[in-house]
Amino acid sequence: MEIVKGFVSHIIYRNANNGYTVFEFMADEEVTCVGSFQAIDEGEMYRLSGEYVEHSVYGSQFKVESYEAMEPEDEVSMERYLGSGAIRGVGPSLAARIVKKFGTETFRIIETEPERLAEVKGISERKAMEISEQMEEKRGMREAMIFLQKYGISNTLAVRIYDTYGQKLYSILQENPYKLADDIDGIGFKRADELAAKIGIHMDSDFRIRSGILYTLLQASADGHTYLPYEILVSRAAALLGLKEEYVQTQIPNLAMDKKLVLKKNGEQVFCYASVFYYTELSCAKMLFDLNGSMVEGGEFLPGQEEKIRSKIEKLARAQKIELEELQKQAVLESIRHGIFILSGGPGTGKTTTINMIIRYFESEGMDIFLAAPTGRAAKRMTEATGYEARTIHRMLELSGAASEEGRKASFEKNEDNPLEADVIIVDEMSMVDVSLFQSLLKAVAPGTRLILVGDVNQLPSVGAGQVLKDLMQSGCFCSVVLKKIFRQAGESDIVLNAHRINRGEPIALDNKSKDFFFLERKDIPVIYKHMVQLIRDKLPSYVKASPYDIQVLTPMRKGNLGVDTLNGILQTYLNEKDASKKEVQIGETLFREGDKVMQTKNNYQLEWEVVSRYGIPIDRGVGVFNGDMGILKEINDYAQTVVIEYDEGRRVTYAYAQMDEVQLAYAITIHKSQGSEYPAVIMPLMGGPKMLFNRNLLYTGVTRAKYCVTILGSRQVVADMIANESEAKRYTSLDMRIREIQGGE
């Protein structure tokens, strides 16, 4: 490890997201340095530790492993610093005059007697104070960085902490470091707790217990819950904090008084909500009440009116050369009658045909119709099935890219003050919509607009908190039609027939007599790997007329021999082989390679994307990349430490290396992550796992993701056990309760 001392003479490149910086550094001679720095300016003095490396393109560089800010120690260093541009309004000639006047006392004068700077020609009293303030701010930042580094806080987080609190950070850290978890994205309870322990905060501190309770609810929301029963919250929080339950019980009422929690009695039970989720559910219930008026005068059709509408529906159906069953006609009729209408049903039951008839009817009435779905893939499928443009919900609501008042939620241009200008809004794949996105959607729907919600209630619930579609139907307050008849063409598919059998808990034939549903009994894990690669690379592409990229491995788990993490490493090796022409980079535990199939794993409302023409000219721009979006890794730039990923519709996103913790390889994904997507062929390795996970609901969702072909590799008994296992992980949500309260006028 070598050490060099000097100052930053010129910053060549800086990545604001991860702090990666390339700069010229004047030591005994000028050297190009590379490393991660957040608070760095031209003119700053540093003691750098690292080693000289030879870059294949850029030649000799000093790779910085660690660094320490230094105060200029002599007149030459002081003059260099002041004249470097680090202090606005001070150039080399003025810096020379200041140092000539005050010598080695220059910095002391600036900090303690700044008014004396006015003794130098060209400096007014006002300018003297500005120079002093800038020096103080930079010194404060440096001291804060050094202070926070002692507690193991990275430069990136240290800058965020300083930007948030300034000089108050010292008192906040001493009194209540858990405040960081509330105020700063990227610092959760666990990191704040580690920091508190180093500072010496007691385990039974009120701040610690309250923060732990709120963190427990936050973790619960990540599992889909909008509340926890009192006993479960107390038990989980006590286990997290390592304290007796009575410590937690004491603080819950205090959090409720501070409006951080809402406690709601339900019979003998008490439900505990993080305030944001209680008021989100309540807000949704109120808006649904306002939208759910009858769309016909007096609440019922006039005499003869229903027959007239039915006649028109049948005429439109004949024009489209389709035959509607009675429930489908009823669904179209109810969508006309009600402000809110829900259409549900399994695969092959004619949901798409019914949506098409609803669209044709309202179109014939001269109404403006918007179509939307939660994901890009689902919106694309909706467009292909209807012939009308469908957008993602985020795009329809015009995601702004700016954080909302809550700091972590999205902000949309379309809202209660600027509603969607449509007469009818149809949203597909509603089982995927969480309660927060649903609230944003409802805010943008003006009373008098028809809202038609479509989805399969038997699919897995949303990744985010809530189970909106299920709660809406369970409330019993909205008109809904559930289609059940499997149509002839769909009935020729064993994918559709087996999906319905699975949903009813009936056994399925695994005899390989089907043209689109296959089962390969395999007990040896390496053999499963081998056949998986053969299927994707050699067998299925020609069979389903698709590329290997479009064939998707779906698995119940993240961990284990047949979990996402292991499978992706193996599939990458064979489907995107190492090649001298492909750059690669190790980020955390994942090796990324150009050409990899990848997926975004969390909603990021600030990420910018652009679509470029064949000549490289941007033709469309926007913000937002969402949980479940899949794409191809196009470019790795190790100099700028960035990765370019291209998502559906040619949307290109540039990630800093530090942001790649939001991206994973996607040759294999969990069944949960596949919601709303459809693939030409699906491969499912099933060899057993946790009973709560390996259930009927999961198998049903996985099978229904395939359009032309399902192949299951593994154990016949595991498939049978999953069909027999009705148990689902309980999801604590209460939108249905809030709806009944509002509708009942309670």
Side-chain angles (χ1 to χ4, degrees), residues 230-285:
Y230 179 84
E231 294 77 12
I232 292 176
L233 174 60
V234 169
S235 172
R236 289 188 186 180
L240 171 76
L241 294 162
L243 295 170
K244 292 181 179 176
E245 291 188 356
E246 47 261 39
Y247 286 94
V248 175
Q249 291 166 340
T250 302
Q251 292 301 332
I252 287 177
N254 295 334
L255 282 166
M257 286 179 66
D258 290 343
K259 299 193 178 344
K260 296 284 183 71
L261 285 188
V262 172
L263 304 178
K264 192 82 176 168
K265 219 160 179 217
N266 185 54
E268 295 299 309
Q269 276 194 308
V270 175
F271 294 170
C272 304
Y273 300 78
S275 292
V276 63
F277 284 113
Y278 175 77
Y279 289 110
T280 296
E281 286 190 337
L282 186 62
S283 164
C284 287

Side-chain angles (χ1 to χ4, degrees), residues 325-344:
E325 63 135 344
E326 184 53 37
L327 262 183
Q328 289 177 304
K329 293 176 188 174
Q330 190 64 33
V332 180
L333 203 65
E334 299 301 351
S335 73
I336 298 164
R337 193 197 316 254
H338 297 282
I340 294 175
F341 172 66
I342 300 168
L343 177 66
S344 188

